[in-house]
Amino acid sequence: MDINIKERMQHYNVTGFSMTTIMNAEISMAEQYGLNEAGTTRFLNSHSIFLCLFTE
């Protein structure tokens, strides 16, 4: 399945999105998309704070 994250963000009106994959207790991938806050020009970065969700 090929998902275009930026298209999905626009479709659901999401301002910012961060995704991190952890494998074997280490971060294997971390990506940030969009803005830190709607109405600003502050882009997300690796220091932006989000709620965390764990799945297995």
Side-chain angles (χ1 to χ4, degrees):
M1 176 186 251
D2 186 23
I3 298 173
N4 185 310
I5 292 175
K6 291 180 182 180
E7 284 180 5
R8 295 292 82 202
M9 287 175 63
Q10 185 175 23
H11 177 80
Y12 290 105
N13 198 29
V14 173
T15 304
F17 176 77
S18 179
M19 177 171 51
T20 302
T21 303
I22 300 171
M23 295 180 68
N24 299 321
E26 293 186 13
I27 294 175
S28 63
M29 184 274 300
E31 296 181 10
Q32 299 82 33
Y33 302 90
L35 299 173
N36 195 18
E37 184 177 344
T40 70
T41 57
R42 293 185 354 234
F43 286 94
L44 292 173
N45 60 48
S46 61
H47 300 287
S48 300
I49 299 172
F50 279 86
L51 177 68
C52 184
L53 172 69
F54 290 94
T55 62
E56 290 186 40

